[in-house]
Structure formats: structure tokens, C-alpha cells
Amino acid sequence: MATVLILMGSTSDWPTMQAAARMLEDFGVSWEARVVSAHRTPDLLAATMAEAEQGDTRVIIAGAGGAAHLPGMLAAFTCLPVFGVPVASKQLKGLDSLLSIVQMPKGVAVGTLAVGEAGAANAGLLAAQVIGTTDSQVQNKVREFRSKQREAVLANSKLELDS
């Protein structure tokens, strides 16, 4: 199993969650994506977490929409860090997902990111930062990323008014 495991409740979550995968690729962090439904395949969820804990997995990124129970259920089965990404839903635009993921009971932690693609990308970045605490190559790539972001802002920091 890869260093970061990206899990989602349905293949329909992949367009959002692939932003996490792209970020991890940019930092050279191995990842694997799987579909595991908290409601439809709870036995697979438990088995996946047992496998992750026995392998090389260091971080779990979980995307879920609607009821969005997946990140919390995963966190209940592991001591690995779990980052939850609320996937935008048709009905409530992801607010339902956000509230479901962020309202975890004391003692079962899920780091909750923003709704949608930005949240997925930041989950990938955060996972790389965690990996970077023990992998200097990944940490250096994160530093380079931050430096490039800073340079891009500074290059465009002066605005002129149109006449």
C-alpha cells in the first residue's frame, strides 16, 4: 500500500479527489486511491484500515459528499492521521458534507479541509507536510512549492489603475 491512501465513498468523488493525487505526485509522495463506502461496504472499510496500519501508509485522505460519514468512520478504525475533504453535493453544495465531517466527537479526530477541489489539493499538501517531517526530500519540495507561490505573488504585487 502507498504512503498516502486516498479513499472516497464513490467514483463520483474522484473528479474532486484527484486534486489531492496531483499534489502528492508533485511532491513525489506515493499514493493509492480506492473506493470504500462507509454505508455500503463497512467490512471493506475496516479491512482497508487494518491493511493500512500494517503497511507503509502514513496518512489517509478521505473524500465524501452528502452524509459524509467516511472520514469519521475511517478515523474510528485507525490511529493514522485522517484528513477529510467535503465533496460538494448537488443539494447543499457541500455544506452538508462539511458539517458532517467537521463535527466529530471528542476523541476521534479528523482534520477537515475546505469543500471541493481546493480542500482536496490542500489535503495533499498537508499529507506531504506530514511525510516531510521524516523525509527531507519531500520537505524540500514543499519548501520549493511555497517559495514559488511567494514569488508568483510578489511578481504580481503592483497593480496600476487603468486610465
Side-chain angles (χ1 to χ4, degrees):
M1 194 172 281
T3 306
V4 177
L5 186 56
I6 301 172
L7 299 174
M8 62 209 89
S10 167
T11 56
S12 65
D13 298 335
W14 182 238
T16 297
M17 297 307 295
Q18 63 185 331
R22 282 193 296 270
M23 189 67 78
L24 292 166
E25 284 183 4
D26 288 348
F27 295 123
V29 175
S30 66
W31 60 273
E32 181 180 333
R34 295 184 186 182
V35 173
V36 177
S37 171
H39 304 113
R40 295 181 195 99
T41 60
D43 293 339
L44 177 60
L45 183 151
T48 301
M49 287 302 86
E51 181 184 354
E53 288 215 333
Q54 294 171 4
D56 294 330
T57 301
R58 305 260 317 278
V59 178
I60 309 293
I61 298 174
H69 293 140
L70 181 63
M73 288 298 297
L74 294 168
F77 280 93
T78 187
C79 291
L80 295 169
V82 175
F83 299 134
V85 178
V87 174
S89 59
K90 293 177 186 175
Q91 294 80 11
L92 298 174
K93 308 280 191 253
L95 180 59
D96 50 346
S97 310
L98 173 64
L99 294 174
S100 181
I101 295 171
V102 79
Q103 285 299 119
M104 291 301 299
K106 181 180 177 181
V108 182
V110 173
T112 307
L113 284 296
V115 174
E117 190 175 322
N122 279 340
L125 173 58
L126 195 54
Q129 290 176 245
V130 169
I131 304 304
T133 62
T134 58
D135 184 325
S136 63
Q137 287 183 325
V138 172
Q139 187 177 73
N140 287 336
K141 288 180 182 181
V142 170
R143 288 184 194 284
E144 289 172 22
F145 172 79
R146 292 279 175 86
S147 179
K148 287 178 184 175
Q149 284 191 308
R150 183 175 51 256
E151 290 169 14
V153 170
L154 291 174
N156 296 305
S157 65
K158 293 183 183 180
L159 298 177
E160 296 181 22
L161 295 175
D162 290 333
S163 308

